[in-house]
């Protein structure tokens, strides 16, 4: 089944002249992990809001086309219904926490799913551990640092065990090692679920492509409300490089793309060490 | 020109049990470019708010040009020290982007002419011209961030403190803000950037103040600190790409300019064999 | 604005905080009844003393003092109306104390019970879910408004709005760039929170569970006993002694 299926979706926010999204056709299969990227203001968060049904239910504007999430038509289903299968972590963590303790926020979703108390407690423990904020369990979200709030917002979605999670810039406020840990934990979670026969679809909106390159199977580049590239990560990045689309291509690839033809490099290097050993090889072949 | 002296600063939030900042000491002189680095919850934002008077020290003192912040109003300090907080939503209130940018200028008594000119200037610098009459709340994440910076930079404070300025920015915007800030420094203004983006910090700032658990664990040359594995480990940092590159090729790389980096790489490897 | 702090839950490790919100509410209700039924200054002062004892146990005396600052405005109004309509100074004092008792009986309860717990208590008492949730949302909004105020206040000061100096009139005039965004911001926050709740499936299932179960402990039974005694005291004082 398709986790997400957009057919000719367009949206214009009330009060703007320009369409935020124009004629988007997008299918994401169950179990896929997709990175969505693109210049600031291109419409990434708008896609996320449509997947949850917040557009058109909570935002006014002109919506056209059809959007399905796990077969549910977003026009016919209230957001809370879609939320039983999909979770979203918004771009701004502070605006999505609303209780007086991190623990209550993380338990809020599962409580709405009417799960038994022991199950909820188990999930709360698990989610807090996964993002590494067990020590903040009883703190009020208002009294947390930016990064700590972001971690709490992520935990409060993970605890609902959604089949699809949309992350809108989940690591923007995290320190480098927390970012790596978080991404690894999420993908480990996905693997573990798959081992047990479950499925988890991940849609991650990020400017920091390098962080996710090893994990996702597909990259979609949006520009000016349209999908301009969609496919296998490396070739998408190379195309964006050639077309000069302003996305954050990881430094190592920035160099690789520039020199690969001239130096005869075949494989993209994972890190600088690898790049240098490739270069050494290539140059000794050329000269020796 | 502005000089800040922080002496034995301790800070505790009213509801907290622990100190968020402990025994902080440093001075900032004119024309400095400083990055404040450190793990989530290290106390970076708290320190920034102590520097511009939004928070007052629990113990110790912060002096601006020799005057204790306890004796200065935040508004007075703001004329010299601009602070862009990490959540742009916090500062927006006006109906349009234009009014939002003008607010500070009006408070500081700039003339109509100056206001108009500065407004057009920053709208252009930050690529916000087309949003001039739009509501700040109807912008995308990255656009909001740019507006927040624009509405402070517009009165050209002597010292600009930015809390996570690169959040939500694409490649071009990130480069743009880097250039804007570099220009400020070359004009003799100071900047303090709080960031987790070490690559951004390394090509912008000379000095770093590294915090961990509310204490300073390093203060000095940014490149030196970010090559120090111990500091990196302690403050959950990462070695910036440029420094890794330098260590590999053995000569210094000033800027994250991939064209020239690539060229020099090719040259280096050609030389090895000719 | 700091007056709102007196009604905002604060996490503290105190005897009072650990009690069940239902027993606390019962006592609160009885205390409130005192302030409504009696204007006898001896009774009011006795109740106030009891309340101060409870607030002290909850380690929230500081917040209580804050709340007094907010009440000053209303107390001034009381005195003005007393003077205008031929009341006495003594009556003004009595009415003011009565107001303080009324506000304290609520402040004590809200300071020490989270909205989530209050919601749980209401559902366990079989209040309709809509009512429970409207109520919980209403209390949740106190800190929302307070935080919104704090961040707007900080942001505007950081952009040169002078609020710490100047006479009363300039101060009031300068408050406008804070009050207007506060109103707008609060409304915007309402929508944001509604969205944040919905994307966590609020309303998807007619039933909600609760991961924390409220349980009556020894202290709660004791509080109920105190409430019962006080309630009988009301009846005794009012009906048998005919106290005003
Ligand atoms: N509530 C709104 N009302 C009107 N216009 C809006 C609203 N939200 C976003 N827009 C506009 O729609 C366009 C797409 O916004 P969107 O938030 O989807 O961008 P984005 O790709 O997520 O950008 P960013 O990376 O900066 O977060 C932008 O030009 C923005 O100005
Ligand atoms: N209003 C508050 N009340 C109580 N404690 C707070 C408050 N704000 C922050 N803290 C705590 O103080 C510590 C420092 O917070 P601060 O916001 O300065 O961190 P930071 O270094 O900016 O982190 P981040 O990178 O996540 O933004 C954290 O442990 C945080 O939980
Ligand atoms: Mg966005
Ligand atoms: Mg911070």
């Amino acid at each position: 089944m398709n986790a997400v299926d957009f057919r000719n979706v367009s949206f214009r926010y009330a009060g703007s002249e320009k369409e935020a999204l124009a004629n988007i056709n997008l299918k994401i299969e169950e179990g896929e992990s997709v990175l969505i990227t693109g210049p600031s203001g291109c419409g990434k968060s708008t896609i996320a809001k449509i997947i949850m049904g917040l557009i058109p239910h909570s935002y006014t504007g002109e919506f056209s086309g059809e959007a399905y999430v796990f077969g549910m038509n977003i026009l016919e289903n209230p957001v809370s219904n879609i939320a039983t299968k999909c979770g979203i972590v918004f771009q701004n963590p502070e605006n999505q926490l609303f209780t007086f303790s991190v623990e209550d926020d993380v338990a809020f979703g599962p409580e709405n799913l009417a799960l038994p108390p022991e199950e909820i407690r188990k999930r709360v423990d698990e989610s807090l551990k996964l993002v590494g904020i067990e020590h903040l369990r009883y703190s009020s979200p208002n009294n947390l640092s930016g990064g700590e709030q972001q971690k709490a917002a992520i935990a409060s979605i993970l605890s609902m065990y959604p089949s699809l999670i949309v992350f809108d810039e989940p690591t923007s406020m995290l320190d480098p090692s927390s970012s790596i840990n978080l991404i690894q934990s999420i993908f480990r979670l996905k693997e573990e679920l798959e081992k047990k026969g479950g499925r988890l679809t991940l849609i991650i909106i990020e400017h920091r492509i390098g962080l996710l390159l090893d994990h996702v199977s597909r990259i979609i580049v949006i520009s000016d409300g349209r999908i301009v590239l969609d496919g296998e990560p490396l070739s998408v990045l190379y195309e964006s490089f050639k077309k000069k689309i302003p996305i954050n291509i990881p430094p190592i690839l920035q160099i690789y793309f520039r020199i690969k033809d001239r130096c005869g490099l075949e494989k993209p290097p994972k890190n600088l060490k690898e790049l240098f050993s490739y270069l050494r090889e290539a140059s000794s072949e050329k000269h020796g | 020109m502005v000089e800040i002296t922080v002496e034995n600063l301790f800070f505790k939030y009213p509801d907290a049990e622990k100190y968020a900042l402990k025994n902080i000491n440093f001075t900032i002189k004119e024309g400095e470019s400083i990055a404040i680095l450190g793990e989530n919850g290290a106390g970076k934002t708290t320190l920034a708010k102590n520097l511009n008077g939004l928070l007052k020290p629990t113990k110790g003192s912060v002096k601006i040009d020799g005057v204790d912040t306890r004796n200065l109003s935040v508004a007075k300090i703001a004329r010299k020290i601009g602070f862009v907080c990490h959540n742009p939503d916090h500062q927006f209130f006006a109906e349009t982007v234009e009014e939002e940018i003008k607010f500070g200028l009006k408070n500081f008594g700039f003339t109509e002419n100056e206001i108009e000119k500065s407004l057009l200037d920053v709208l252009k610098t930050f690529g916000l011209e087309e949003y001039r009459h739009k509501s700040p709340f109807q912008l995308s994440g990255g656009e909001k961030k740019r507006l927040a910076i624009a509405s402070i930079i517009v009165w050209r404070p002597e010292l600009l403190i930015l809390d996570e300025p690169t959040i939500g920015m694409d490649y071009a915007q990130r480069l743009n803000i880097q250039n804007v800030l570099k220009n400020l420094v070359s004009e003799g203004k100071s900047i303090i950037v709080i960031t987790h983006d070490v690559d951004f910090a390394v090509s912008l700032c000379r000095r770093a103040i590294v915090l961990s658990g509310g204490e300073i664990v390093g203060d000095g040359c940014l490149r030196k600190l970010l090559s120090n594995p111990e500091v990196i480990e302690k403050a959950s940092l990462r070695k910036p790409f440029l420094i890794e590159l330098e260590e590999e090729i053995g000569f210094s790389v000033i800027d994250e300019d991939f064209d020239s980096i690539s060229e020099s790489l090719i040259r280096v490897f050609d030389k090895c064999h000719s | 604005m700091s007056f709102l702090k007196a009604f905002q839950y604060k996490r503290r490790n105190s005897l009072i905080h650990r009690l069940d919100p239902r027993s606390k509410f019962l006592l609160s209700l009885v205390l409130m009844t005192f302030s409504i039924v009696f204007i006898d200054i001896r009774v009011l002062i006795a109740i106030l003393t009891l309340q101060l004892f409870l607030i002290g146990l909850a380690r929230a005396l500081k917040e209580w003092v804050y709340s007094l600052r907010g009440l000053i405005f209303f107390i001034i109004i009381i005195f003005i109306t007393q003077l205008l309509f031929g009341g006495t100074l003594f009556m003004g004092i009595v009415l003011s104390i009565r107001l303080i008792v009324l506000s304290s009986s609520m402040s004590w309860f809200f300071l020490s019970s989270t909205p989530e717990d209050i919601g749980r208590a209401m559902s366990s008492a079989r209040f309709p879910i809509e009512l429970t949730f409207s109520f919980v949302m209403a209390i949740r909004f106190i800190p929302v408004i307070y935080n919104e105020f704090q961040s707007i206040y900080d942001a505007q000061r950081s952009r040169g709005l002078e609020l710490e100096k100047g006479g009363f009139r300039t101060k009031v005039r300068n408050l406008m760039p804070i009050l207007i965004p506060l109103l707008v911001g609060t409304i915007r926050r309402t929508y944001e929170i509604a969205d944040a709740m919905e994307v966590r499936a609020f309303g998807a299932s007619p039933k909600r569970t609760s991961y924390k179960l409220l349980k009556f402990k020894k202290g709660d039974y004791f509080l109920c006993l105190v409430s019962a005694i006080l309630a009988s005291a009301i009846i005794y004082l009012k009906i048998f002694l005919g106290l005003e």
Side-chain angles (χ1 to χ4, degrees):
Chain A
M1 201 206 300
N2 281 321
V4 173
D5 185 356
F6 279 22
R7 299 178 193 162
N8 268 320
V9 168
S10 300
F11 185 72
R12 192 169 58 77
Y13 285 98
S16 336
E17 287 118 52
K18 231 177 52 191
E19 279 184 322
L21 289 178
N23 274 320
I24 299 282
N25 282 293
L26 173 65
K27 280 199 175 65
I28 294 173
E29 264 174 53
E30 223 177 323
E32 266 193 286
S33 39
V34 182
L35 167 63
I36 300 184
T37 192
S40 160
C42 68
K44 304 179 294 295
S45 302
T46 309
I47 292 187
K49 286 180 207 150
I50 295 177
I51 293 175
M52 291 308 298
L54 288 169
I55 291 176
H57 293 301
S58 291
Y59 286 79
T60 48
E62 254 169 55
F63 178 89
S64 68
E66 281 170 82
Y68 298 89
V69 180
F70 293 105
M72 293 182 275
N73 186 337
I74 58 147
L75 287 175
E76 288 157 12
N77 285 279
V79 176
S80 54
N81 255 1
I82 296 174
T84 58
K85 294 214 76 176
C86 308
I88 183 170
V89 182
F90 292 111
Q91 201 163 354
N92 191 339
E94 192 170 346
N95 302 351
Q96 51 195 311
L97 301 167
F98 48 81
T99 69
F100 284 76
S101 75
V102 170
E103 177 186 54
D104 278 335
D105 246 300
V106 179
F108 186 82
E111 285 183 334
N112 290 329
L113 299 175
L115 297 168
E118 316 79 64
E119 172 70 15
I120 300 179
R121 272 194 291 272
K122 187 188 120 219
R123 289 188 182 193
V124 171
D125 293 344
E126 221 176 67
S127 312
L128 290 175
K129 185 143 173 260
L130 199 125
V131 298
I133 50 166
E134 293 126 304
H135 60 295
L136 301 173
R137 187 179 189 125
Y138 302 111
S139 305
S140 160
N142 288 321
N143 293 349
L144 300 184
S145 80
E148 290 165 345
Q149 281 177 341
Q150 191 155 35
K151 292 176 189 173
I154 293 169
S156 67
I157 293 301
L158 291 177
S159 64
M160 296 178 71
Y161 288 6
S163 313
L164 161 70
I165 313 180
V166 184
F167 289 101
D168 198 347
E169 301 195 27
T171 64
S172 58
M173 299 195 190
L174 303 191
D175 61 50
S177 46
S178 302
S179 307
I180 295 172
N181 290 342
L182 177 81
I183 298 294
Q184 280 174 350
S185 311
I186 289 171
F187 281 89
R188 202 177 316 125
L189 186 79
K190 180 173 153 70
E191 253 170 52
E192 274 164 21
L193 263 174
E194 273 154 15
K195 265 188 220 140
K196 286 187 227 150
R199 281 284 185 72
L200 175 61
T201 315
L202 295 173
I203 300 178
I204 304 171
I205 299 174
E206 255 300 348
H207 289 291
R208 301 204 273 172
I209 298 168
L211 208 53
L212 287 152
L213 198 56
D214 294 341
H215 297 285
V216 294
S217 52
R218 178 177 168 194
I219 296 186
I220 298 175
V221 180
I222 316 275
S223 181
D224 230 355
R226 277 161 235 271
I227 295 180
V228 288
L229 292 167
D230 180 354
E232 189 273 321
L234 202 66
S235 50
V236 164
L237 293 185
Y238 190 49
E239 283 301 306
S240 339
F241 168 72
K242 283 197 294 193
K243 290 187 176 150
K244 295 201 160 56
I245 301 171
I247 57 174
N248 280 317
I249 298 173
I252 192 83
L253 292 181
Q254 291 271 14
I255 296 178
Y256 170 71
F257 290 153
R258 281 176 169 82
I259 64 174
K260 67 176 190 148
D261 294 336
R262 282 163 66 192
C263 297
L265 302 182
E266 278 147 28
K267 262 197 320 191
K270 283 230 171 330
N271 49 41
L272 271 168
K273 282 225 157 52
E274 234 175 73
L275 175 72
F276 279 73
S277 76
Y278 288 175
L279 276 171
R280 256 175 238 125
E281 262 171 51
S283 99
S284 60
E285 261 169 39
K286 203 159 104 191
H287 296 268
Chain B
M1 251 148 281
V2 64
E3 235 184 76
I4 302 182
T5 319
V6 180
E7 271 174 321
N8 302 325
L9 163 67
F10 283 76
F11 182 83
K12 193 164 86 132
Y13 283 100
D15 309 341
E17 283 136 37
K18 280 192 300 197
Y19 278 93
L21 293 174
K22 282 171 277 193
N23 199 21
I24 306 284
N25 286 287
F26 61 84
T27 52
I28 299 172
K29 303 229 159 56
E30 61 165 301
E32 285 208 78
S33 51
I34 304 172
I36 300 185
L37 309 171
E39 80 274 356
N40 289 134
K44 305 179 294 297
T45 303
T46 311
L47 177 58
K49 289 187 175 169
N50 270 285
L51 296 185
N52 89 328
L54 280 178
L55 298 175
K56 311 279 177 188
T58 312
K59 276 191 273 181
S61 71
V62 175
K63 289 190 183 126
I64 297 170
D65 290 332
V67 186
D68 196 305
T69 52
R70 294 189 186 87
N71 304 325
L72 290 164
S73 74
V74 177
K76 261 242 159 48
I77 298 175
R79 181 68 187 83
K80 285 190 197 164
I81 303 178
F83 173 60
V84 186
C85 77
H86 76 90
N87 185 354
D89 280 349
H90 281 171
Q91 66 178 70
F92 296 156
F93 76 101
E95 305 227 338
T96 62
V97 166
E98 173 176 340
E99 286 306 314
E100 197 65 50
I101 294 176
K102 280 182 174 170
F103 182 73
L105 295 173
K106 285 184 182 157
N107 285 330
F108 294 127
F110 284 71
T111 65
E112 271 309 312
N113 278 341
E114 287 168 328
I115 292 182
E116 191 62 24
K117 190 176 164 299
S118 313
L119 170 75
L120 294 178
D121 253 15
V122 294
L123 282 175
K124 185 142 171 279
T125 317
F126 288 92
L128 292 167
E129 289 131 314
E130 59 175 307
Y131 305 116
R132 182 170 173 172
H133 301 292
K134 216 173 161 177
S135 154
F137 293 107
Q138 296 187 338
L139 300 177
S140 80
E143 290 159 354
K144 279 183 184 169
K145 193 77 204 178
R146 273 181 274 152
L147 172 59
I149 299 174
S151 68
I152 308 287
I153 229 174
V154 69
W155 72 79
R156 313 188 62 70
E158 294 301 320
L159 166 68
L160 185 65
I161 307 177
L162 302 109
D163 200 350
E164 320 235 16
T166 57
I167 289 183
M169 293 209 178
D170 59 46
Y171 183 65
Q173 292 300 340
R174 190 163 159 272
L175 220 57
N176 181 41
I177 178 90
Q178 202 166 305
N179 288 331
V180 171
L181 297 179
K182 269 186 185 160
N183 284 340
L184 281 181
V185 177
S186 67
E187 286 167 27
K189 313 240 179 218
S190 307
I191 55 166
I192 296 180
V193 179
I194 298 172
T195 187
H196 293 299
D197 187 343
V198 286
D199 293 318
F200 182 78
V202 81
S203 41
L204 183 65
C205 303
R206 291 171 141 258
R207 174 177 169 193
I209 295 176
V210 184
L211 289 177
S212 179
E215 287 175 275
I216 293 187
V217 295
D219 180 0
C221 168
L222 182 134
R223 283 180 177 240
K224 274 216 189 89
L225 285 168
L226 283 178
S227 330
N228 182 344
E230 208 179 307
V231 173
I232 290 186
E233 167 74 32
K234 232 186 210 160
S236 300
L237 296 166
R238 176 171 62 78
K239 199 178 270 181
F241 183 78
L242 283 188
I243 292 182
E244 271 188 352
L245 186 68
E246 278 176 3
E247 287 176 358
E248 283 295 323
I249 58 179
F251 60 78
S252 75
V253 189
I254 312 297
D255 235 329
E256 205 178 59
D257 172 1
F258 293 112
D259 284 331
S260 71
I261 293 175
S262 305
E263 288 309 318
S264 31
L265 272 184
I266 289 176
R267 245 180 291 125
V268 168
F269 280 90
D270 267 354
K271 223 184 262 161
C272 294
H273 290 269
S274 51
Chain C
M1 269 302 151
S2 51
F3 140 78
L4 285 177
K5 272 200 169 158
F7 298 94
Q8 176 180 341
Y9 170 74
K10 260 242 176 73
R11 199 183 126 71
R12 289 244 163 80
N13 192 10
S14 87
L15 203 64
I16 301 288
H17 282 68
R18 283 193 293 270
L19 291 169
D20 190 303
R22 289 169 292 188
S23 60
K24 281 188 275 193
F25 185 66
L26 186 67
L27 183 56
S28 245
L29 217 59
V30 174
L31 293 176
M32 218 186 304
T33 314
F34 269 100
S35 70
I36 293 166
V37 171
F38 295 105
I39 48 169
D40 189 296
I41 190 147
R42 287 164 299 175
V43 178
L44 289 176
I45 285 182
I47 294 302
L48 191 60
T49 317
L50 176 61
Q51 283 174 336
L52 283 179
F53 175 67
L54 290 170
I55 292 172
L57 271 185
R59 299 205 272 141
L61 278 171
K62 212 161 94 196
E63 284 77 13
W64 180 79
V65 176
Y66 271 133
S67 78
L68 287 188
R69 272 202 259 165
L71 287 179
I72 282 177
F73 175 71
F74 297 100
I75 290 174
I76 292 175
I77 292 184
I78 289 178
F79 275 101
I80 291 175
T81 39
Q82 280 301 310
L83 292 181
L84 282 182
F85 299 105
T88 60
L89 205 60
F90 180 68
M91 205 56 208
I93 292 170
V94 170
L95 287 178
S96 303
I97 293 179
R98 194 178 181 190
L99 184 70
I100 293 169
V101 172
L102 185 68
S103 126
S104 307
S105 44
M106 288 190 282
S107 135
W108 167 74
F109 174 67
F110 287 117
L111 262 169
S112 66
S113 322
T114 68
E116 273 63 38
D117 278 346
I118 295 172
R120 286 179 191 117
M122 286 175 76
S123 353
S124 77
R126 289 172 211 260
F127 276 96
I129 187 159
E130 292 83 8
L131 182 71
T132 308
F133 249 82
S134 322
F135 189 71
V136 171
M137 274 318 285
I139 334 172
R140 243 206 274 286
F141 256 81
I142 298 170
V144 167
I145 297 172
Y146 182 75
N147 284 320
E148 194 72 23
F149 172 79
Q150 191 63 45
S151 32
I152 294 169
Y153 181 60
D154 282 353
Q156 308 305 57
R157 286 192 298 164
S158 302
R159 290 201 285 171
L161 188 67
E162 190 57 84
L163 287 155
E164 286 144 76
K165 301 221 172 69
F168 182 69
R169 280 178 62 179
T170 17
K171 267 194 177 149
V172 169
R173 198 179 51 231
N174 282 346
L175 224 51
M176 289 327 272
I178 292 194
L179 292 182
I180 294 167
L182 181 62
L183 189 70
V184 177
T186 309
I187 295 170
R188 193 174 40 82
R189 285 290 287 143
T190 318
Y191 285 108
E192 268 169 15
I193 291 180
D195 281 353
M197 286 171 63
E198 252 196 315
V199 301
R200 290 204 233 148
F202 179 66
S205 147
K207 222 178 65 203
R208 251 191 128 238
T209 47
S210 168
Y211 78 110
K212 268 192 239 162
L213 294 178
L214 294 175
K215 240 211 251 112
F216 256 53
K217 286 177 275 254
K218 265 189 213 134
D220 295 299
Y221 290 111
F222 179 72
L223 221 56
C224 290
L225 186 69
V226 173
S227 308
I229 294 172
L230 287 173
S232 351
I234 295 180
I235 296 170
Y236 179 73
L237 290 173
K238 191 80 197 168
I239 297 175
F240 294 97
L241 293 187
L243 226 56
E244 277 283 310

